[in-house]
Amino acid sequence: MGLYAMSLFRFGCCFNFGKFQKAPVGKTLDFVGLLLFIASTSCIIVGFSFVGSRGWIATSTLSLIVVGSGLLISTGVHEVRTTSDALFPHAMFNSFNIIILLIVGFLQNVASNSGTFYLALYYQTVNVSISTLRAGVMLLPYSLGSSLAPMPVAWLVGAIQTRTHNTVGQKWVISSGLLIATTGFALLCLLGENTQGIMQSFLGGFGLGMLTHTPYQALTSALSPKELAAGTGAFFLVRFTGATVGLGCLSYQCVSLLN
């Protein structure tokens, strides 16, 4: 805490606050879009959190998801037409490639968080003699695959981009990551009581690791510098929403299979 306070004090002393001027935030910020987006994402997240305990056909689950989806569409329409400072860059709605990148980021976190949470639970469920510690050890190939992949992938993308000066490297890495992750998770669906699933989980994790940073790199290349801050916030908000949605959907599936 003392080191943190000293660093913060030093950082503050280096700033010349006289250069900053008060900006008319209340006149430029899109408060309507902000409220719509908060309401829509809240309804969707709460709705998917009800899936595990109440199921898909429950009135509370369906109503929240439907209302949240409608509000999210309304938010997109409002952001395109607003004259205020939009929460999301207009380029994100006008470019099909950016929409694909957002979908990839969403699905990557759906699979990543769900696999991390439920693979260990699956190992303990199919074989009650497996302890919690051993289930965590069996999860290591999945975790190591997703952790080791980003570093060589970043080197590869950087080398290709240096030679070609375009985003062809990101496109090939994203396509390969989707293919490897899909193959790994498809093989995980074939796990039985007597199979370890080491190679399957490593493939799934490695494919997800390839998709950890590469979509964001491609997104930054597609946005202008003034749109980069808002685009970064939108990308990671979509990604972390995918984590909640994935846990909600997989919890219902897991409970259904156990029952």
Side-chain angles (χ1 to χ4, degrees), residues 52-76:
S53 58
R54 305 181 185 182
W56 285 102
I57 60 175
T59 304
S60 57
T61 303
L62 290 177
S63 59
L64 285 172
I65 294 176
V66 171
V67 171
S69 301
L71 288 175
L72 192 60
I73 295 174
S74 302
T75 304

Side-chain angles (χ1 to χ4, degrees), residues 183-238:
T183 303
F185 277 91
L187 293 175
L188 282 174
C189 294
L190 303 177
L191 285 179
E193 184 177 354
N194 298 320
T195 55
Q196 297 293 329
I198 295 176
M199 194 61 192
Q200 297 94 317
S201 58
F202 180 80
L203 280 177
F206 193 86
L208 293 177
M210 296 176 67
L211 302 173
T212 301
H213 300 295
T214 311
Y216 176 68
Q217 293 176 347
L219 179 71
T220 56
S221 302
L223 297 175
S224 62
K226 67 178 181 180
E227 297 173 330
L228 190 57
T232 299
F235 177 80
F236 284 101
L237 183 59
V238 170

